[in-house]
Amino acid sequence: MTEGGKLIIFSAPSGSGKTTIVKHLLDQPELNLAFSISATSRPRRGKEKNGVNYYFMSVSQFKRHIKDGDFLEWEEVYRDNFYGTLKSEVERLWAEGKNVIFDIDVSGGLRIKKKFPEKTLAVFVKPPSVDELKIRLKKRSTESDDKINMRIAKASVELATAPQFDKIIKNYDLDVALNEAHRLVAEFVGAEMPPKED
């Protein structure tokens, strides 16, 4: 892979607020960020679009890309439910002169950090508690109780990996978390923070 800009990883248990944080950072022009779209074999949900939310592919297509070594990282999150980062996606964004931001699973985030230790800032977003996580996931009402319980079980395992990340942001108060994320990324990419509005 040809090297380009910086890599910024946000990982967290589902429902921690990492997607909200990543969206906020993408809106900050001085950070020069572009979002790395993950590939997945899971079916589309709601209004999701191919090439916007994910690159959707069949299980067999996904496995062929694994065999061909096309992924920077990949994981079978649940049975036949694969997620991964295509090397071509990161190269595409680097070719545009961008810093690449990821909203990915904990193990995927750590794998990218291992491949590009000098170029990567890995941030773990910590929810207030596992109970709060359960409330947030239930409020989404996009998944069955079984699926929520699976996510909660996974969250406990993921929380244990937090110390392996460069930084931990505690998302108890969203505004505080957004400001902290902005500051960390600005420092890492060498961008000036815009002046605070009174």
Side-chain angles (χ1 to χ4, degrees):
M1 279 182 75
T2 52
E3 303 248 330
K6 299 267 174 81
L7 303 172
I8 296 108
I9 288 160
F10 277 83
S11 295
S14 196
S16 302
K18 72 177 182 309
T19 306
T20 306
I21 292 172
V22 167
K23 280 186 179 143
H24 171 75
L25 293 172
L26 282 163
D27 286 339
Q28 313 306 318
E30 77 284 356
L31 301 177
N32 189 29
L33 297 175
F35 183 67
S36 169
I37 301 167
S38 297
T40 185
S41 67
R42 76 152 172 76
R44 296 180 201 203
R45 291 187 198 132
K47 292 181 175 157
E48 288 180 333
K49 287 190 177 78
N50 186 47
V52 176
N53 305 93
Y54 286 97
Y55 295 116
F56 292 99
M57 46 182 80
S58 67
V59 173
S60 59
Q61 280 174 310
F62 203 102
K63 287 181 173 169
R64 193 163 59 245
H65 280 298
I66 293 171
K67 208 168 115 245
D68 294 344
D70 295 336
F71 287 109
L72 203 49
E73 59 78 32
W74 64 271
E75 191 184 2
E76 188 171 13
V77 178
Y78 304 108
R79 194 168 164 269
D80 277 347
N81 216 329
F82 292 91
Y83 288 85
T85 303
L86 289 160
K87 290 176 182 172
S88 57
E89 173 69 356
V90 176
E91 288 184 327
R92 176 179 77 81
L93 300 173
W94 272 348
E96 290 175 11
K98 296 287 192 180
N99 297 309
V100 184
I101 191 165
F102 301 82
D103 169 352
I104 58 174
D105 188 273
V106 167
S107 47
L110 290 171
R111 268 187 224 120
I112 289 175
K113 174 76 186 169
K114 210 173 250 157
K115 281 189 178 143
F116 300 100
E118 302 303 313
K119 298 175 72 75
T120 305
L121 172 68
V123 182
F124 187 92
V125 182
K126 213 172 184 176
S129 67
V130 172
D131 288 340
E132 174 62 25
L133 214 53
K134 202 166 193 171
I135 292 164
R136 288 180 188 179
L137 289 170
K138 276 194 150 69
K139 266 192 194 150
R140 281 188 190 175
S141 56
T142 52
E143 293 173 323
S144 65
D145 282 350
D146 279 354
K147 204 67 185 269
I148 288 172
N149 290 334
M150 267 163 77
R151 287 194 186 276
I152 295 298
K154 195 165 176 274
S156 307
V157 176
E158 290 172 330
L159 285 165
T161 68
Q164 296 174 49
F165 283 76
D166 299 318
K167 301 285 179 190
I168 297 171
I169 291 177
K170 294 179 175 146
N171 188 8
Y172 300 131
D173 175 315
L174 186 59
D175 285 338
V176 174
L178 292 175
N179 282 330
E180 196 181 338
H182 193 173
R183 187 183 52 75
L184 282 175
V185 175
E187 272 172 24
F188 185 68
V189 301
E192 288 285 317
M193 284 281 284
K196 277 214 158 60
E197 290 165 20
D198 291 329

